[in-house]
Amino acid sequence: MAKNSFRGSKYKTEANHDGDFGCTLKELRSLMELRGTDGSQRIQECYGDVQGLCSRLKSSPIDGLSGHSDDISRRKEEFGKNFIPPKKPKTFLQLVWEALQDVTLIILEVAAIISLGLSFYKPPNAEREYCGRAAGGVEDEGEAEAGWIEGAAILLSVICVVLVTAFNDWSKEKQFRGLQSRIEQEQKFTVLRAGQVIQIPVAEIVVGDIAQVKYGDLLPADGVLIQSNDLKIDESSLTGESDHVKKTVDKDPLLLSGTHVMEGSGKMLVTAVGVNSQTGIIFTLLGRGDDDDDDDEEKKEERERKKREKEEKRREKEEKKKEIERKKKEKKEKKKMEMEPLNSDDETEEEPKKNKIPKKEKSVLQGKLTKLAVQIGKAGLFMSAITVLILVVLFLVDTFWIQGLPWIKDCTPIYIQFFVKFFIIGVTVLVVAVPEGLPLAVTISLAYSVKKMMKDNNLVRHLDACETMGNATAICSDKTGTLTMNRMTVVQVYIGDRHYNKVPEPDLIPGNIMNLLITGISVNCAYTSKIMPAEKEGGLPRQVGNKTECALLGFTTGLRKDYQAIRNEYPEEKIYKVYTFNSVRKSMSTVLKNRDGSYRMFSKGASEILLRKCCQVLTANGEAKVFRPIDRDDMVKKVIEAMASEGLRTICLAYRDFPVSDGEPDWDNEADILTGLTCICVVGIEDPVRPEVPDAIQKCQQAGITVRMVTGDNINTARAIATKCGILHIGDDFLCIEGKEFNRRIRNELGEIEQERLDKIWPKLRVLARSSPTDKHTLVKGIIDSTILEQRQVVAVTGDGTNDGPALKKADVGFAMGIAGTDVAKEASDIILTDDNFSSIVKAVMWGRNVYDSISKFLQFQLTVNVVAVIVAFTGACITQDSPLKAVQMLWVNLIMDTFASLALATEPPTDALLLRKPYGRNKPLISRTMMKNILGHAVYQLTIIFTLLFAGEQIFDIDSGRNTPLHAPPSEHYTIVFNTFVMLQLFNEINARKIHGERNVFEGIFNNMIFCSIVFGSFVIQFLIVQFGGKPFSCVGLSVEQWLWCVFLGFGSLLWGQLISTIPTSRLKFLMTAGHGTQKEEITEDELEEMEDQDEIDHAEMELKRGQVLWCRGLNRIQTQIRVVNAFRDLMSPYDGLETPESRSSIHNFMSHPEFRIEDSEPAIPLIDDTDPEEDEPTIRNTAPSPLPKVLSPNQNNNNASDNKGFHQHKDIAKTILSPTPGSPMHSLETSL
């Protein structure tokens, strides 16, 4: 065959012109650009057939490549690697430069430089006393010359803050990149090497490899089909065509990278990898437009375009309003009665606009935090402005009115120095007031949780999922593999009129039945499923591939037969036709052609479904007897229900002969083919419940989370397993129904789903059996959209199949199975369970709740410091004309309370106690009344201590007063004690902040968090060094041991005060308010809704940021940066996050490493995978007119038959229509933050 393949080749003469291979990279690339029959024609013209192409590429369709390292490396050199290099991360210096862009830091730097410059100025002939009291009174000439130190110290502090910020961003990015490479390493694909079927990392695939493709795969490279069984591909991510494309060797053999296998299986010869594959070419074309200048211009154009659109919309709105008002006036004049209908018309016009699409909300926690940070920022801005104003007014009144001095020209620089000093004080009040550590705390907490969740087998793809999981109220879980061990074994058999409760001895089964049984199992199980020897001696044999099929293959070995011998007799190439398993058929059939021209078909599938198609059954003597409906009902009752009630999955095995006399069957008429079967046997397969699951489900129920089982299994099997797991308890009044019954109850006469009907079912539903993926999606959507409970339900869903994509996407948190899950399911999910285990979901709930608590702890601490620092600086400035806490000291306090505290409190490990309370709910305010009590209570204590020391400290400690000192006076002991006590109060209050629900023991589990202990201890050591050796730059003088002990004692008092506060019941303090509410959906303005029209989600964080952008304040830039970092990470984990439907993700495995590209404008409208195939169930579909798709696909629509209104896109067109990175895109995020 290989010889003949060269015949008729255009390239025959230049067979070996390029290296050792018979075809060039260019040839292969041009081949892969063809579509449909053009591709098969080119292969025939140039290579004879696919075998010819294989021999040119020195590969064997049966054995694959040899796998020698030299051969592999030569292929990588010749045809490229299956990898696209990612964009370089930003250097540390770039991150430093970005941190320096902070508006407030710039203002501080400018003020410090002015202060520095003016401190060297001395009025020439004038004595300092002429310039007023405040300027004079310096005892020592050296002290006056040391005026420059404060300015220099501020500059130094700014450098510190910048370095810490840059380091935080750098370490976060490093962490995220590590996580991302872990995701990449997870991706493996099945290939043939040296005759062995092995799984290799996607990056190791080379041109010439023979890859096995199966249902649910995401193709990692381009290739040509060698052999296929019922293969259907979703190419919408590349072509925009929504129908599934049937692939066959002779009609359409070209498979493209980044497309999804929706049905069937096959083998392909890899012809293009990495940048040379079709998806790779698109990414390369995109990458070329990466010049900054072009970017900027394109960005500007894009902004301009959006502005124009907004303006037009606003004008239209105004015109409409004017029109309506004019009509109202006219009608008023005519008749007052006609007002009402017009009003109602107006409302009905506006109403649907608002509630057009039920959008998924994300970043709810971040939205609340951003809103809170902006509110505090506004308050801080107001306080700092007032502080500066009061200081300036007091100075002017005191100098020019009370002292009655004239304005002397020579004194002007000294006066300016005062004003600069006041300005610096104002800016430092602002620095302390704005909690830019809030988003930092979220980022740290989420990043820390994500890292730790990896150890608990949760691979988080979207950061939001971590936070959302803490609010989960319902979990819809699969059964197989999640609740059970997915280690299946045949334990009961009904064969030859007898029901065996264990696998029978081979001699008890008649010979002809045995032959049919063994042949049927061997050829009618995917050849990728096999039983391998145990890894350890004495261990269980390894099951590779589909676990149900492995159970059947294990059954053949239990009957002492060798399935591999039969597979060798009937290799895959000899199989005539395969009807692969899908969720509609719930069966699989394989057709063999006999030597005499007749056919024999073997089928296996769900027993009650397949038995309906049987008209005969094999008896004890091996003869076939008639199988009537009454016999079937009898078998269902006695055999199938008996097995199912023990929690066994029942599978029926059957066969059918097609004699030559009947002529060639119509293989496409599946309904006729799959009838008149002869039942061979029914087996009961056991899949034991995971030992840890019942305990995990009990924890969920204690935590207020309802667990529902959604399975494709028989209802009796499902009920038995649910009872073993603890989802159902004997005597419970809960529903356990099948998919058909579920649909009957929730649909009206027209077959439409009604929310009211659903609302009657879902609260009591615990088990949904024999369900299709559409039922799962309907249930999830129904629970999320339901309004019968006060709080909106937050639903988590597990899924492993391709068809679970829509349900995983619709859910608030989608969990995909890492082992059994298909690539499509993983792409649609938020978290991947690397061990497929339900108890890992409970860990995710714990971490989610822990994130929420960590943020609340940090908030409680942060706000106490904010309130105290701002009041002290403000009051001190007003009364003593100087802030008791100097600029540099405040910057140090800011560093402790923002960066260090967020690190300390955001890394608290979770405890089991988190699962003993009900979910918070999405609308719960961040600051509860208990926290408000703690914040105000501690603020009162701290203010009392600070003001006592400020106004009476000199008498208590018998030292000189530090109030009303001149401009360059040396630091005083008095103010050093105030500063030191203030810091001690914060350090001890940090321990108090560890508990937010009114617990008494604040030290519980403190040593489990070494980060916390080391930060508190480290802060204390640095404070000691600052006070004792900081001197002039920190405005400190060394304190005696006794003074130190007093400072520590007063700080320790806050722990005792904390006990007193927790004694006061919160319920008594009715006046306390909660704070930190998020924006409810109802509160979003129409304009904002319009802006979000083309998005599938409401991103609360982004929305609050936009609202807060009217105001500049310290940390707004930081807040933006932090949120961008989170967004960038979200996009790093999934570069296609903007494309909402899971199937529209135009991805190739290793493009995980290219967040910089996002196909936005040319986003093809993609269908949702439904459980019905248009070709099978809806023959009329092809003839219907194509309906244009809406901009946003709502997941409950079956869009399989919708034709994309943008039509076909070849990759070049796509590349052209792609926009430059928009501010929300990962490229922008990376450039601006990481």
Side-chain angles (χ1 to χ4, degrees), residues 302-503:
E302 181 60 18
R303 278 191 216 117
E304 288 296 316
R305 191 173 62 78
K306 282 189 176 170
K307 266 187 193 171
R308 282 199 298 274
E309 279 174 16
K310 273 185 198 169
E311 281 294 317
E312 280 166 24
K313 276 186 185 175
R314 202 183 305 135
R315 273 192 218 120
E316 275 173 32
K317 262 193 171 180
E318 280 170 10
E319 279 168 23
K320 270 186 190 172
K321 275 183 187 171
K322 280 176 190 170
E323 186 67 24
I324 290 165
E325 277 169 21
R326 192 172 57 75
K327 280 183 185 174
K328 279 184 185 175
K329 275 180 187 172
E330 282 173 17
K331 295 215 171 188
K332 253 187 191 176
E333 286 160 16
K334 285 179 186 174
K335 249 186 188 181
K336 284 188 181 179
M337 287 294 285
E338 280 180 45
M339 271 281 290
E340 266 176 52
L342 194 134
N343 254 351
S344 58
D345 283 356
D346 189 29
E347 276 170 49
T348 48
E349 240 179 70
E350 292 295 315
E351 205 52 45
K353 229 183 195 183
K354 210 164 190 180
N355 305 325
K356 196 160 58 176
I357 303 157
K359 299 191 179 199
K360 189 168 166 181
E361 296 174 82
K362 64 175 187 177
S363 310
V364 179
L365 175 63
Q366 273 194 299
K368 288 179 186 176
L369 279 171
T370 312
K371 189 177 181 182
L372 191 66
V374 169
Q375 285 168 346
I376 297 169
K378 285 178 181 171
L381 191 61
F382 177 73
M383 290 297 279
S384 66
I386 296 279
T387 309
V388 174
L389 202 66
I390 290 174
L391 285 170
V392 171
V393 170
L394 280 178
F395 172 75
L396 294 175
V397 168
D398 179 54
T399 309
F400 300 114
W401 192 32
I402 297 173
Q403 294 179 45
L405 293 171
W407 184 290
I408 301 167
K409 195 182 172 188
D410 286 341
C411 289
T412 305
I414 288 180
Y415 297 146
I416 291 174
Q417 223 165 325
F418 270 105
F419 295 146
V420 170
K421 180 183 169 185
F422 299 151
F423 184 66
I424 287 175
I425 290 168
V427 174
T428 15
V429 169
L430 182 60
V431 166
V432 175
V434 176
E436 77 275 23
L438 275 185
L440 181 66
V442 185
T443 316
I444 289 174
S445 183
L446 287 174
Y448 172 77
S449 304
V450 164
K451 201 173 178 184
K452 292 289 182 187
M453 281 167 83
M454 297 268 282
K455 291 180 181 164
D456 289 336
N457 303 307
N458 284 290
L459 184 61
V460 181
R461 294 180 74 245
H462 301 144
L463 270 183
D464 285 333
C466 190
E467 141 206 341
T468 312
M469 210 45 220
N471 292 326
T473 55
I475 297 173
C476 296
S477 173
D478 274 353
K479 174 183 77 70
T480 308
T482 313
L483 300 172
T484 58
M485 289 171 77
N486 207 11
R487 164 116 209 147
M488 302 203 189
T489 40
V490 173
V491 288
Q492 293 189 21
V493 189
Y494 177 84
I495 192 166
D497 285 343
R498 276 191 67 185
H499 186 168
Y500 297 93
N501 280 328
K502 60 179 198 267
V503 176

Side-chain angles (χ1 to χ4, degrees), residues 71 80 130 164 195 284 386 520 621 707 759 768 800 850 878 919 950 956 998 1038 1055 1069 1073 1087 1108 1144 1173 1189 1231:
D71 181 41
Y130 291 139
V164 168
T284 318
I386 296 279
N621 59 6
V707 181
D759 286 345
L768 184 59
D800 53 8
N850 191 55
C878 296
L950 190 57
I956 299 170
L1055 289 176
L1069 307 171
M1073 301 284 287
D1087 292 343
S1144 67
D1173 190 293
L1189 281 181
E1231 285 175 354

Side-chain angles (χ1 to χ4, degrees), residues 176 179-180 183 460-461 1129-1135 1152:
F176 294 160
L179 201 54
Q180 187 196 330
I183 287 179
V460 181
R461 294 180 74 245
F1129 177 50
R1130 206 182 287 137
D1131 296 325
L1132 273 170
M1133 294 297 97
S1134 175
M1152 286 297 214

Side-chain angles (χ1 to χ4, degrees), residues 62 139 547 886 978 1013 1215:
I62 293 153
E139 300 128 30
K547 298 295 186 272
K886 300 290 181 283
V978 172
C1013 298

